[in-house]
Amino acid sequence: MTSLPSPTKEGGKPSEPGNPNSSDGLQAGLKNRHLSMIAIGGVIGAGLFVGSASGIAAAGPAILLSYALVGAMVVLVMRMLGEMAAARPSSGSFSAYADQALGRWAGFSIGWLYWFFWVVVLAVEATAGAQILEGWIPAVPQWAWALIVMLVLTGTNLVSVSSFGEFEFWFAGIKVVAITGFVVVGLLAVFGLLPGSDNPGAGFGHLTDAGGFFPKGPGAILTGVLMVVFSFMGSEIVTLAAGESSNPQRAVAKATNSVIWRIAVFYLGSVFVVLTLLPWNDKSITKDGSYVAALNSIGIPHAGQVMNVIVLTAVLSCLNSGLYTASRMAFSLGRRGDAPGSFARTTRRGVPQTAILSSVAFGFIAVFFNYQWPDTVFAFLLNSSGAVALFVWLVICFTQLRMRGIILRETPEKLVVRMWLFPYLTWATIAMISFVLVYMLTDDAAREQVLLSLLVAALVVGVALVRDVRRRRLGEENAAEGTAPAESPVVKS
């Protein structure tokens, strides 16, 4: 195992990412309410609103089991990540932990793959938001809306981390209120208790009245898993953001402990409401979208526009947090010497300006590819990053297996969040994720994603291993000459 020396303050004590005076240059600008809402809203992506209809069409009511299986997997992964993040808060999160537990090659590889995933997501979300805005104001072309959205959110991230936190607080707040309201109003309509509702209030009847609970057979549950697994990506963002709060340990512990009810309410709860308001094979679900169809069945006026506002909010939230996440991962890579040193520079307000601008620049390029070559270049980018979420979760699992021992040896008092039934549930989660990856290879729609993602991952790992060999040789040469290799400085601008 190879690990980096901890950066130190003048007194020689290790710096803490959450400390406002930490030598990493980041500032503790996120308040408790920011982190609480980031944690709650982080699991609600635009994929939940726009992707659930295809999952329902593929598996029927059994899609609930697909969401439950993936949700359980995410809960376990977040528990592992929470254990490490509470003990060692870091802007690099799982990439930094992989660096310490598995070796420099692992931290380098998963950090760059994760960065790649999010800058491609920036293009996807910017385009989705632009489509909605163009529908409202067609005088402004779609590409211009995408540019405007990217510029505005880049500006908020450049100002300060508290600006990012404030925007995300309100974006996430709108999503949370919308989903909670949908679940409450929907359940009232399900049981015929909503005054003036157009829904007949069939109770749980729709779960079985159109071919039973498994209309496509039990095997459709696995098909549903492939369709919903990527809508859960983003729950880990709070562990990166915690490094810029005044009490990262408390924030991580709180977020980790609340992930179960968040997934239960927002994912399982909302999809359950859709399936009880309408038969799963109702044509309006695929035509209008699951949530719009459900709102129409209740009799909510202008349901489509209401949902467009909510989806736009989810898109902007994903863009905002995606840019933040990509820039912090780039910052962490720069700080560890795995990216250009300029990525580790921060402004006086504690903002990694170069890391932000570099991330958004690639995002702009990806947006251009989406408009110029959507079926070739951009499709390659999309597919080659498609399985990265599963790679990240696998690395978190293997890292936690090693980090538990490291934490117990070095700082046992900081092990305030513990993975349940360690190491058995960790190995069970590894088996679950591996099974999903293998099953994707048997699915015609998902096979290309896995193969291209594996190809890109292999290239990145190859670069990492070559760097490790060169670094080792340099170290041997320096040792023979009686000199020590210089450490990468941490600098502010």
Side-chain angles (χ1 to χ4, degrees), residues 13 21 30 97 115 143 148 150 173-175 182-183 219 228 277 304 320 350 365 388 411 430 433 439 445 449 471:
K13 297 179 181 180
N21 299 315
L30 293 177
Y97 310 141
W115 178 87
W143 66 266
I148 291 169
M150 291 275 277
I174 292 171
K175 291 190 294 184
F182 175 81
V183 171
V228 306
L277 286 174
N320 193 41
I365 293 171
V388 166
T411 53
I430 289 171
I433 298 170
Y439 187 76
Q449 274 194 357
R471 188 181 291 115

Side-chain angles (χ1 to χ4, degrees), residues 58 81 169 279 306:
L81 184 54
F169 175 81
V306 170

